[in-house]
Amino acid sequence: MALGGLMASRFSQSAVVSNHFDDCGSAQDDVDLFSQRRDSDTASSSYGNATVTSIATTSGNSATTSMAYLPQTIVLCELRHDAFEASTPTGPSDIGLVSKWRPKDRMRTGCVALVLCLNISVDPPDVIKISPCARMECWIDPFSMAPQKALETIGKNLSLQYERWQPKARYKVQLDPTVEEVKKLCNACRRYAKSERVLFHYNGHGVPKPTANGEIWLFNKSYTQYIPLPISDLDSWLKTPSIYVFDCSAAGMIVNAFTELHDSGASNCSGSTRDCILLAACEAHETLPQSDEFPADVFTSCLTTPIPMALRWFCKRSLLHESLDYSLIDKIPGRQTDRKTLLGELNWIFTAVTDTIAWNVLPHDLFQRLFRQDLLVASLFRNFLLAERIMRSANCSPISHPMLPPTHQHHMWDAWDMAAEICLSQLPSLVEDPNAEYQSSPFFSEQLTAFEVWLDHGSEHKKPPEQLPIVLQVLLSQCHRFRALVLLGRFLDMGPWAVDLALSVGIFPYVLKLLQTTTPELRQILVFIWTKILALDKSCQVDLVKDGGHAYFIRFLDSMEAYPEQRAMAAFVLAVIVDGHRRGQEACMGANLVHVCLKHLRASTPNDAQTEPLFLQWLCLCLGKLWEDFTEAQIIGLRSDAPRIYAPLLSEPQPEVRASAVFSLGTLLDIGFDSCRDGVEGDEEYDDGEKIRAEISIVKALLSVVLDGSPLVRAEVAVALARFAFGHKQHLKSIAAAYWKPQSSSPLSSLPSLAGIKATGSGNIVSSQIGPLSRIGNDNSSLVRDGRVSTSSPLANTGIMHESPVSDDSSQHSDSGILNDGFSNGVVNHIRPKPLDNAMYSQCVLAMCTLAEDPSPRIASLGCQVLSIIGIEQVVAKPVMSTASSIRPGEHTSASRTPLAGLARSSSWFDMNGGLADPLIGHGESSGVSERSLLPHSTIYNWSCGHFSKPLLTVADDTQEIIARREEREKFALEHIAKCQRSSVSKLSNPIACWDTRFENGAKTALLQPFSPIVVAADENERIRVWNYEGDTLLNGFDNHSFPDKGISKLCLVNELDDSLLLVASSNGNIRIWKDYTIKDSQKLVTAFSAIQGHKPGVRYLNAVVDWQQQSGYLYASGEISYIMLWDLDKEQLVNSIPSSSDCSISALSASQVHGGQVAAGFTDGAVRLYDVRMPQMLVCTSRPHIRPHTQQIERVVGVSFQPGLDPGKIVSASQAGDIEFLDIRNNSNTYLTIDAHRGSLTALAVHRHAPIVASGSAKQLIKVFSLEGEQLGSIRYHHPSFMAQKIGSVGCLTFHPYKVLLAAGAADACVSIHS
């Protein structure tokens, strides 16, 4: 399958939106989330006489039934949930790996000195020649013409042979020269070459062998003597960089002398070892082969004419040696540069083979230096590998400095021999008939197949694919290019190590050049390859812009025929190109990137299943990076109405899209609004009025997502607000100071709150009307404790923040101390008139305070950074009140939490007298530059880049393992559910374990894990302890958070059939979800958010009640508010709010575990209501089971729960008065069964999910167990023999095991016991 198709099929599995377990590879088709939620059980939505089917009675365990019990939804398992708190991921690297693969500095051999000492017809004294003897020099027989003419012809031929490898160099030949001539030649070459490399070639076939001291021989003027030339002289003339070729017997002597010379540091050119390369024909003790099978200059012939040399040598050893006429080898048709001809293809295959051998055998750095830095050096070394192969067959070993490992027996030579044989077998017919068609070699397609086999079975931990250099060569050929690119794409997808390997082979210039092609079928795969390269190495942005490559990606981004995932890759590539790179920003702005991106953002309809979230995410990030600190592009964006186009994106279902949109909007905020800006101050193009309107719309958009359910989004809001705060410091400072100014007639009295801002595009979602005000504030008990609060203060009644209870002392801050209105280091900054109105500024300060109190520690610290920008260095536990124009006129939200724990460490929270300390408004500031470094940095871009570093075409290896574990758990669950349903009545009177939790006030809530003997308990101070009740060991204990305001509401298990997560709900409505919570000190916060927003007037505590419904992926939360908030944990978004239809608060909440979307609520006035979010009116029915007709006494509902089984209409409810009522909503006029369990002291109720039992706990240390028919099965006098002496407390919590008949009970005496 082509990569495009492969990507399309894979992406559907790995897209950001995966919600169901099916995505991980189960056999079921991918079902639309909502259709699954709506139709989770069609029978359940008709509240008629639904028949209840139990697993036990259904033959063959009908799939629908088991699916109702085993939800397939799985949430919070995306990349973003993996240690968001712990790490700030980095984006593509622009250092590190880069230096490894980029050739340090390209080099060229600029001058070549050829010195031939042949002295034809006079043999040197130390050579005894055999007969017949090797005679050819540069393929010329010196005895076939006059000696002088032969010498000149050989010199000319040698020059031509070298020119074939480096045509641009200058060539100088010296024939039988003197020492003086060689000196002049060397000096001239170095002068000409300047800092480029010089090649010195020495042929010493007509002079004696080099001496032991490493001297080579030349002639005197009259040719009567041999004159020695020390290698040290040669080195001092040629200097560095240089490369020497010594073709003479005992050439190893020269290499040895050279290395000694450099080791001793005697060279007068310091550091010349660094770049001196030597190639020598044989070892110090060897003589050159004399057999007439070879030319006399066999070493030079291998280095400069490898193909004729290789073929001649091969023919003698192949099956062709009888049938092939050797003279034909000189007549091979074609040109070496034309790969469609026989000679061209042979040359191409030879290059591929030798490159591959070198890459596989040489150390990385040596390969880079010898084979990728200098074209001529690379060619000579490729050919040197051939010389080693051929000359070793004649017992002669060519050597080099630096030394190479032996390569003459590498198995790739067999591939070369086979290719050569196939090509040569066609040679006679091609020479006979010049018009005959040449059949190209199967070499490359076979090597690609070998590479493909490696891709199917290889991995990072196995040997790298040796065909990688061949893949590189294949990119040169049109016929194999597409296949090679697809395979290369698959390889790069294996991980950053693969990208690094490919870059080190030298792939970069090839794929850069390919961006100039217009072939449509290459576009998708090229975009994919560039995505992989840039995900590893950002520095390539420079090359892309220099070559105009950005235009290729903008065209692709704008093309409609590509898949959105692939266009997302193009957007990623463009984002990297503009990331912190002004040239890239200018080039992309010039190529109209802003309009292209905005056009596609505008075209995407919100929540449309067809719109690929990854594409939207990267369009936003790409624009954000383009706008970042680049005013011209920002103006284009604002003129194009970017803020309005972005508004709907802030309610997209994917947190990544929302966060990216917030980041992008934040980059449009101009940091330098009221500090003097260089040159841009009088920007006539874009007037202040337009700018202010744009800023208002951006800030409104940001404020609408301050309470988003995803920390990823809120982190970006904090960063964007910091930019806004930096630009509007002075005005925000005066507002902030006014909050804490004592008794001032503050402008705040008339300020609307955050709640007044209508959230964009949120439809019926209430976040718009209930601002984040509920979270600004604190535990009002401080008001009561302190008693000095003046309620008549203008701020107390109408302001947003209350003044300090110890306000008398705060007069010591003079105004100038509190505010720094434009005075910085004694220089008065130019301050414009207030650009925005006070209301907007106060909403921003509110939002900043909200963020500083965020349940996610990372966001809380970002929020504190933002506050420090506007001068609030430390805010201490002060009562904070606020007014909200929330849904109902006249309602206002009051304080709920202690703000901003530990914003600064500089002074204690409480002052010495036990009163509450004042906030410290920031004093003098430093210069703008260092202040700017205080701005928190956005992480969404770097974090998002990680997506492209991971494999995109393959599913993770552990999928099978996950599915197997899931199946095993489902089997366990179904078996135990059947047992529970069949189980005869159980008394639960057998205590199997008792655990002293050491909680001071006892356990407030507990839960039993379904598949391991683990109980998790939490106390009122939100300390969580995890205990193994079979091994009797404490596994882990940790604090849910470090804010002073404590109180627990509930513990729930999320994804209980998979890797379960622990959801901890605090009584102020904050939700924190933990993973790895059973491993000591390894717990990690997966996500955190505030589930309740806004509450009733005069309410001190929120008393949140929450429940989690795995079937739908919904979290229901309520408390002292008049609706039930409905959070979708997959989207991490508030998706609905169910009006509670009552003036009373909800005191108990239970979500159905088998019918997604159904929830029952018990109220403080004794009413019970059933809601179904799938129905338009949502409220199904209301019942008042706990109001006694004769007494009319109203009792609050303590517990409410659905009865076991699939019947949607049966509910159990218990009130504080001690009565347990059984309701059937099909007859909602009254209850069908009442149990008077505990008189006036009922504290806890638990109903088993599958077994027909109910348990209730009393303040009188008694637990009773009933059947669904109302029969008391037993009671637990919660006395364990060893705890007799302890004071008896009330039962704090009861919870059943999901699949076994086990009951865990926690009480005020700090014990949790488990009964079976």
Side-chain angles (χ1 to χ4, degrees):
M1 191 194 292
L3 192 74
L6 183 63
M7 279 160 57
S9 68
R10 289 280 186 261
F11 269 122
S12 61
Q13 296 169 22
S14 65
V16 189
V17 285
S18 68
N19 183 294
H20 302 293
F21 200 83
D22 318 348
D23 289 348
C24 304
S26 85
Q28 298 189 3
D29 287 341
D30 201 354
V31 192
D32 177 282
L33 170 62
F34 274 94
S35 66
Q36 187 193 325
R37 288 180 181 175
R38 297 286 177 270
D39 312 333
S40 57
D41 189 344
T42 34
S44 73
S45 50
S46 64
Y47 288 95
N49 297 319
T51 50
V52 179
T53 332
S54 83
I55 288 185
T57 56
T58 311
S59 59
N61 293 1
S62 90
T64 37
T65 309
S66 63
M67 283 309 104
Y69 287 130
L70 304 174
Q72 300 300 299
T73 313
I74 174 167
V75 296
L76 303 175
C77 57
E78 301 290 344
L79 183 68
R80 64 177 179 272
H81 302 117
D82 213 23
F84 166 81
E85 295 295 329
S87 62
T88 306
T90 50
S93 150
D94 42 9
I95 45 162
L97 283 167
V98 183
S99 52
K100 283 192 196 166
W101 70 263
R102 273 191 195 272
K104 299 282 183 297
D105 27 11
R106 289 246 173 230
M107 193 170 282
R108 201 171 77 93
T109 301
C111 199
V112 178
L114 306 174
V115 175
L116 283 82
C117 299
L118 292 178
N119 200 8
I120 296 168
S121 75
V122 179
D123 286 341
D126 58 351
V127 173
I128 301 163
K129 288 197 172 168
I130 58 167
S131 178
C133 178
R135 287 162 62 160
M136 306 287 271
E137 299 274 359
C138 293
W139 304 106
I140 287 168
D141 182 350
F143 298 102
S144 61
M145 54 187 93
Q148 190 54 35
K149 189 179 178 199
L151 185 61
E152 285 166 9
T153 313
I154 291 167
K156 194 174 168 192
N157 257 18
L158 180 61
S159 183
L160 290 171
Q161 283 172 202
Y162 267 112
E163 274 178 48
R164 140 100 186 81
W165 303 104
Q166 174 58 291
K168 291 183 180 162
R170 175 180 282 194
Y171 289 85
K172 294 173 184 281
V173 185
Q174 284 286 3
L175 307 172
D176 292 350
T178 61
V179 172
E180 204 44 52
E181 287 167 333
V182 169
K183 180 178 181 180
K184 263 168 71 181
L185 171 73
C186 291
N187 287 330
C189 284
R190 175 44 67 204
R191 258 199 320 279
Y192 176 79
K194 298 190 176 75
S195 62
E196 292 181 334
R197 198 186 300 280
V198 174
L199 183 143
F200 180 86
H201 177 102
Y202 172 75
N203 177 329
H205 296 172
V207 290
K209 292 176 190 169
T211 65
N213 300 333
E215 296 156 315
I216 55 173
W217 296 98
L218 301 168
F219 301 97
N220 65 356
K221 275 190 180 154
S222 55
Y223 296 100
T224 53
Q225 277 180 315
Y226 299 114
I227 308 290
L229 168 62
I231 198 74
S232 54
D233 288 2
L234 195 56
D235 182 46
S236 66
W237 301 332
L238 279 177
K239 303 192 171 65
T240 181
S242 52
I243 177 168
Y244 298 87
V245 177
F246 295 107
D247 187 350
C248 55
S249 293
M253 295 274 204
I254 308 169
V255 178
N256 296 342
F258 211 97
T259 45
E260 272 174 37
L261 171 74
H262 288 300
D263 290 346
S264 65
S267 168
N268 47 4
C269 176
S270 64
S272 56
T273 42
R274 201 183 62 249
D275 215 351
C276 278
I277 298 169
L278 289 87
L279 297 175
C282 57
E283 299 264 17
H285 59 277
E286 293 173 343
T287 51
L288 294 176
Q290 293 191 9
S291 160
D292 69 341
E293 178 194 341
F294 301 108
D297 64 347
V298 56
F299 186 57
T300 301
S301 297
C302 287
L303 291 184
T304 57
T305 54
I307 303 298
M309 192 64 231
L311 294 178
R312 275 187 164 72
W313 181 80
F314 167 70
C315 281
K316 287 220 166 49
R317 286 157 182 74
S318 87
L319 297 172
L320 297 170
H321 74 98
E322 286 166 3
S323 57
L324 191 71
D325 175 5
Y326 291 160
S327 65
L328 289 178
I329 290 177
D330 295 329
K331 297 177 186 165
I332 294 177
R335 294 192 316 281
Q336 282 200 320
T337 49
D338 182 359
R339 287 185 297 271
K340 290 184 178 139
T341 61
L342 176 52
L343 183 59
E345 184 157 67
L346 276 168
N347 184 54
W348 185 28
I349 294 171
F350 178 80
T351 304
V353 167
T354 46
D355 225 26
T356 303
I357 293 173
W359 188 70
N360 282 291
V361 172
L362 267 58
H364 177 275
D365 292 341
L366 192 57
F367 176 79
Q368 288 293 333
R369 182 183 161 201
L370 302 181
F371 285 80
R372 291 293 180 265
Q373 238 183 2
D374 181 324
L375 278 175
L376 182 58
V377 171
S379 304
L380 289 176
F381 266 94
R382 274 198 291 270
N383 303 345
F384 177 79
L385 301 185
L386 174 73
E388 190 194 11
R389 184 186 194 206
I390 290 178
M391 293 177 74
R392 274 187 186 252
S393 71
N395 299 318
C396 187
S397 310
I399 55 172
S400 67
H401 171 83
M403 216 169 88
L404 304 189
T407 57
H408 60 293
Q409 289 177 320
H410 196 280
H411 63 89
M412 280 305 292
W413 285 121
D414 299 337
W416 159 251
D417 289 346
M418 186 178 167
E421 190 163 67
I422 291 171
C423 292
L424 286 174
S425 62
Q426 297 185 54
L427 186 55
S429 58
L430 290 169
V431 172
E432 250 173 67
D433 175 11
N435 297 323
E437 199 180 329
Y438 165 62
Q439 296 297 312
S440 59
S441 163
F443 172 83
F444 286 107
S445 55
E446 284 165 1
Q447 292 297 322
L448 286 179
T449 305
F451 183 46
E452 198 164 355
V453 171
W454 187 94
L455 288 174
D456 292 336
H457 304 284
S459 74
E460 180 176 5
H461 309 296
K462 295 186 181 166
K463 200 168 154 248
E466 57 184 28
Q467 297 81 13
L468 211 49
I470 296 175
V471 176
L472 189 73
Q473 290 293 326
V474 174
L475 294 179
L476 299 167
S477 145
Q478 272 184 322
C479 57
H480 301 297
R481 187 177 288 155
F482 179 69
R483 183 182 174 204
L485 284 171
V486 170
L487 295 177
L488 180 62
R490 278 182 59 193
F491 177 64
L492 298 181
D493 194 49
M494 294 177 94
W497 63 272
V499 182
D500 188 37
L501 266 184
L503 288 171
S504 69
V505 162
I507 201 149
F508 186 75
Y510 291 75
V511 287
L512 187 61
K513 192 108 173 105
L514 283 174
L515 292 179
Q516 292 163 20
T517 63
T518 49
T519 327
E521 60 267 21
L522 297 184
R523 287 166 44 186
Q524 296 179 359
I525 181 59
L526 273 175
V527 168
F528 182 81
I529 286 171
W530 273 103
T531 299
K532 286 292 169 186
I533 291 174
L534 288 168
L536 175 86
D537 185 355
K538 171 185 164 184
S539 72
C540 305
Q541 56 182 189
V542 180
D543 310 76
L544 278 170
V545 174
K546 205 158 65 185
D547 280 33
H550 60 283
Y552 189 89
F553 297 101
I554 293 175
R555 280 197 303 277
F556 186 86
L557 180 68
D558 204 18
S559 69
M560 294 305 284
E561 57 267 22
Y563 289 108
E565 301 88 357
Q566 295 164 333
R567 288 158 67 203
M569 291 179 194
F572 162 74
V573 170
L574 290 161
V576 178
I577 288 175
V578 296
D579 177 21
H581 182 217
R582 183 44 58 89
R583 280 227 175 112
Q585 287 176 312
E586 286 164 355
C588 289
M589 182 182 77
N592 223 3
L593 181 58
V594 176
H595 291 120
V596 169
C597 290
L598 287 175
K599 176 176 86 180
H600 293 295
L601 283 175
R602 201 184 283 116
S604 71
T605 44
N607 300 311
D608 176 10
Q610 297 307 306
T611 307
E612 172 56 45
L614 192 69
F615 183 43
L616 295 181
Q617 179 184 345
W618 277 101
L619 284 172
C620 293
L621 291 170
C622 179
L623 278 175
K625 282 289 165 188
L626 177 59
W627 289 330
E628 204 168 41
D629 305 328
F630 185 34
T631 316
E632 290 90 326
Q634 289 169 11
I635 289 170
I636 294 174
L638 293 171
R639 286 242 165 99
S640 311
D641 209 4
R644 193 183 53 75
I645 295 168
Y646 271 91
L649 296 172
L650 298 179
S651 52
E652 276 288 316
Q654 291 75 27
E656 292 89 346
V657 177
R658 303 198 297 273
S660 306
V662 170
F663 159 71
S664 200
L665 281 172
T667 57
L668 280 174
L669 289 169
D670 185 2
I671 291 187
F673 198 101
D674 60 17
S675 57
C676 293
R677 281 151 56 216
D678 308 332
V680 196
E681 187 67 66
D683 192 349
E684 282 84 30
E685 274 194 86
Y686 198 63
D687 70 359
D688 278 354
E690 282 182 83
K691 185 171 188 176
I692 288 163
R693 277 195 296 282
E695 291 218 325
I696 288 175
S697 62
I698 292 170
V699 171
K700 276 190 174 171
L702 294 177
L703 294 178
S704 73
V705 282
V706 167
L707 289 174
D708 192 275
S710 169
L712 203 61
V713 180
R714 300 196 303 277
E716 295 308 313
V717 174
V719 172
L721 282 176
R723 287 177 69 89
F724 176 73
F726 197 86
H728 295 250
K729 267 200 299 276
Q730 313 307 349
H731 310 304
L732 285 164
K733 275 184 180 174
S734 52
I735 295 276
Y739 281 163
W740 282 280
K741 244 187 198 174
Q743 300 292 353
S744 65
S745 52
S746 156
L748 297 182
S749 48
S750 58
L751 296 188
S753 70
L754 268 183
I757 295 183
K758 180 87 184 82
T760 43
S762 51
N764 63 346
I765 294 170
V766 289
S767 62
S768 48
Q769 299 98 335
I770 320 148
L773 299 163
S774 58
R775 304 230 323 265
I776 315 281
N778 72 332
D779 164 359
N780 272 66
S781 52
S782 61
L783 285 171
V784 183
R785 269 201 314 274
D786 195 273
R788 282 185 286 169
V789 176
S790 150
T791 47
S792 59
S793 140
L795 273 175
N797 297 327
T798 49
I800 292 177
M801 298 201 177
H802 209 295
E803 80 285 359
S804 162
V806 283
S807 54
D808 315 337
D809 313 336
S810 51
S811 54
Q812 64 197 351
H813 296 299
S814 69
D815 276 12
S816 60
I818 293 178
L819 294 185
N820 171 20
D821 268 327
F823 289 87
S824 166
N825 297 340
V827 180
V828 181
N829 282 343
H830 160 67
I831 299 180
R832 303 186 182 162
K834 268 198 185 156
L836 313 183
D837 61 355
N838 273 348
M840 185 64 91
Y841 284 130
S842 42
Q843 285 156 2
C844 288
V845 174
L846 265 176
M848 292 166 193
C849 296
T850 306
L851 289 166
E853 287 201 285
D854 199 274
S856 154
R858 204 169 120 191
I859 289 155
S861 78
L862 283 172
C864 297
Q865 275 178 273
V866 182
L867 283 175
S868 71
I869 292 173
I870 60 166
I872 301 173
E873 295 302 331
Q874 173 192 343
V875 177
V876 285
K878 301 172 65 86
V880 175
M881 306 285 288
S882 52
T883 329
S885 50
S886 62
I887 309 175
R888 307 179 182 188
E891 258 190 26
H892 78 278
T893 59
S894 81
S896 67
R897 297 244 315 268
T898 310
L900 324 173
L903 274 189
R905 302 269 175 272
S906 53
S907 77
S908 70
W909 261 62
F910 293 92
D911 62 16
M912 302 304 278
N913 312 320
L916 296 166
D918 248 359
L920 231 151
I921 303 290
H923 290 262
E925 299 150 27
S926 53
S927 67
V929 180
S930 60
E931 269 199 333
R932 178 146 186 192
S933 64
L934 296 174
L935 281 178
H937 295 294
S938 161
T939 54
I940 181 69
Y941 167 76
N942 284 346
W943 179 84
S944 301
C945 290
H947 172 79
F948 293 112
S949 309
K950 295 203 316 298
L952 300 174
L953 305 176
T954 51
V955 180
D957 296 338
D958 52 359
T959 315
Q960 292 313 113
E961 207 179 296
I962 293 171
I963 291 171
R965 188 180 61 212
R966 166 88 189 198
E967 282 169 356
E968 191 185 316
R969 288 183 168 186
E970 286 188 356
K971 189 175 160 206
F972 172 93
L974 289 173
E975 280 170 12
H976 283 77
I977 289 171
K979 270 188 201 163
C980 286
Q981 292 175 338
R982 282 199 299 265
S983 67
S984 54
V985 290
S986 166
K987 294 184 176 178
L988 284 173
S989 53
N990 173 26
I992 60 168
C994 185
W995 167 41
D996 181 4
T997 59
R998 298 201 158 77
F999 290 143
E1000 288 95 12
N1001 307 324
K1004 279 284 292 180
T1005 175
L1007 64 79
L1008 288 163
Q1009 273 211 349
F1011 305 108
S1012 41
I1014 287 174
V1015 60
V1016 185
D1019 72 348
E1020 195 51 52
N1021 292 322
E1022 300 193 57
R1023 275 190 303 245
I1024 295 156
R1025 299 213 168 124
V1026 185
W1027 185 58
N1028 180 319
Y1029 52 82
E1030 279 180 7
D1032 195 17
T1033 48
L1034 181 69
L1035 300 178
N1036 196 15
F1038 58 96
D1039 284 321
N1040 189 31
H1041 62 82
S1042 56
F1043 283 102
D1045 183 15
K1046 305 279 189 184
I1048 193 89
S1049 169
K1050 184 159 189 175
L1051 298 175
C1052 302
L1053 269 193
V1054 177
N1055 303 340
E1056 68 175 36
L1057 288 164
D1058 302 284
D1059 278 335
S1060 65
L1061 305 171
L1062 180 67
L1063 183 150
V1064 185
S1066 305
S1067 43
N1068 58 14
N1070 282 346
I1071 305 292
R1072 292 174 177 84
I1073 298 178
W1074 299 87
K1075 71 179 201 177
D1076 301 337
Y1077 55 93
T1078 57
I1079 307 162
K1080 186 153 184 62
D1081 299 331
S1082 301
Q1083 68 279 354
K1084 293 191 190 78
L1085 191 59
V1086 173
T1087 186
F1089 62 98
S1090 177
I1092 296 182
Q1093 304 178 354
H1095 48 114
K1096 296 181 182 176
V1099 170
R1100 243 179 238 168
Y1101 297 105
L1102 266 176
N1103 295 326
V1105 283
V1106 300
D1107 203 12
W1108 161 246
Q1109 190 173 60
Q1110 188 76 44
Q1111 279 285 8
S1112 57
Y1114 289 154
L1115 179 81
Y1116 301 89
S1118 189
E1120 306 290 342
I1121 54 175
S1122 41
Y1123 25 77
I1124 299 169
M1125 300 271 193
L1126 178 58
W1127 292 86
D1128 184 324
L1129 281 203
D1130 184 53
K1131 300 172 178 176
E1132 297 182 59
Q1133 199 174 30
L1134 180 65
V1135 287
N1136 215 329
S1137 59
I1138 309 169
S1140 65
S1141 315
S1142 166
D1143 292 336
C1144 295
S1145 301
I1146 294 177
S1147 54
L1149 198 62
S1150 174
S1152 165
Q1153 292 308 316
V1154 288
H1155 301 300
Q1158 236 181 309
V1159 60
F1163 288 76
T1164 50
D1165 63 355
V1168 174
R1169 289 180 174 81
L1170 178 67
Y1171 306 92
D1172 192 327
V1173 296
R1174 298 168 298 184
M1175 294 171 64
Q1177 71 280 21
M1178 295 204 235
L1179 177 64
V1180 176
C1181 72
T1182 303
S1183 175
R1184 301 188 179 277
H1186 299 290
I1187 296 176
R1188 296 293 154 88
H1190 47 285
T1191 61
Q1192 287 299 317
Q1193 195 179 347
I1194 291 177
E1195 292 289 351
R1196 68 193 279 275
V1197 176
V1198 171
V1200 66
S1201 183
F1202 288 85
Q1203 291 187 27
L1206 292 174
D1207 192 328
K1210 290 192 166 179
I1211 294 169
V1212 182
S1213 159
S1215 80
Q1216 209 166 354
D1219 61 318
I1220 302 174
E1221 307 287 349
F1222 289 73
L1223 304 121
D1224 187 334
I1225 60 150
R1226 288 165 293 203
N1227 173 15
N1228 63 6
S1229 54
N1230 50 19
T1231 57
Y1232 69 84
L1233 176 64
T1234 299
I1235 304 171
D1236 275 322
H1238 310 275
R1239 291 216 177 92
S1241 63
L1242 190 141
T1243 54
L1245 171 78
V1247 179
H1248 198 286
R1249 218 189 275 179
H1250 304 290
I1253 47 174
V1254 177
S1256 64
S1258 148
K1260 296 173 180 153
Q1261 197 61 29
L1262 175 69
I1263 296 168
K1264 290 184 180 176
V1265 182
F1266 301 96
S1267 72
L1268 293 182
E1269 283 72 48
E1271 178 194 347
Q1272 182 170 339
L1273 303 176
S1275 62
I1276 300 165
R1277 300 266 164 199
Y1278 193 76
H1279 286 281
H1280 198 280
S1282 60
F1283 293 92
M1284 287 291 283
Q1286 290 200 359
K1287 185 179 174 217
I1288 290 171
S1290 70
V1291 176
C1293 58
L1294 291 174
T1295 180
F1296 278 109
H1297 188 284
Y1299 308 118
K1300 295 181 187 173
V1301 184
L1302 283 182
L1303 176 70
D1309 57 5
C1311 288
V1312 171
S1313 61
I1314 294 163
H1315 306 266
S1316 75

